[in-house]
Amino acid sequence: MTSLMERIGNERRRLRNVRQRMAAAIDVGADGDAAFVPFYVAAADYIDATMQRLHGQDVRMGEMIVEKVGEMDATIERALAELDDRLEGAKAHLKPFLAARDAVRDNGAAELGRFEKAAREYSDFIAATMGHHGATNDLCAKLFSADDWEYMAAVSDEQAAAEEKLFARVVETTPAGVTVPGD
């Protein structure tokens, strides 16, 4: 049985790898090459599933902080406001990215340019804003027990297996010439 921290670490590494593969593919440029279609769809499907789970984790985290903190102060309110802003920003950026994925899925290579533009914008947003949660991480470290972390993460064996399958599909469909460090 894999520990919670190992599961979360593996998921985060795979998410970073998928985002890096997608960015590398955009740098190469599909230029109408239909070989990029299944890869871009697979990468977006992986990101969609993973970000939905991470969004749920962050929502639970915010709820748990409010429940456990007792008395709110300006620091806690600011940390929760930053969390809410991140969640809203992530949803706002995910929407056009997924619309571009759906267009590629439905219309193929004709939509690759649209997808690459939306994917670059989404990837840039994620790289700039996600993973930088100092205030909420500090609160969690003070407030959460090991059981709290398990509850917040909500990583089931089924979810882990599904995430691994989605990742395998990304790797299998990566176009020739698209590489990332560590591959």
Side-chain angles (χ1 to χ4, degrees), residues 36-118:
F36 283 72
V37 170
F39 168 70
Y40 281 152
V41 170
D45 286 349
Y46 181 89
I47 290 169
D48 182 24
T50 303
M51 293 309 289
Q52 296 299 332
R53 267 196 13 77
L54 294 176
H55 180 87
Q57 288 175 355
D58 283 350
V59 168
R60 279 188 298 283
M61 177 177 58
E63 292 168 350
M64 292 169 65
I65 288 171
V66 168
E67 178 183 299
K68 290 180 173 290
V69 77
E71 196 168 314
M72 296 289 264
D73 63 23
T75 302
I76 295 166
E77 288 174 356
R78 191 170 36 259
L80 292 172
E82 289 171 8
L83 174 63
D84 288 341
D85 288 346
R86 251 192 342 269
L87 290 171
E88 288 305 312
K91 281 190 339 190
H93 283 82
L94 186 61
K95 188 175 181 177
F97 172 66
L98 295 179
R101 175 210 50 200
D102 294 345
V104 167
R105 181 181 285 140
D106 295 343
N107 302 312
E111 297 289 341
L112 288 170
R114 173 183 172 192
F115 179 86
E116 288 178 339
K117 180 180 183 303

Side-chain angles (χ1 to χ4, degrees), residues 133-152:
H133 320 119
T136 51
N137 283 349
D138 292 345
L139 285 169
C140 292
K142 290 179 197 172
L143 299 170
F144 291 1
S145 69
D147 287 343
D148 291 331
W149 285 104
E150 287 278 346
Y151 170 77
M152 186 185 74

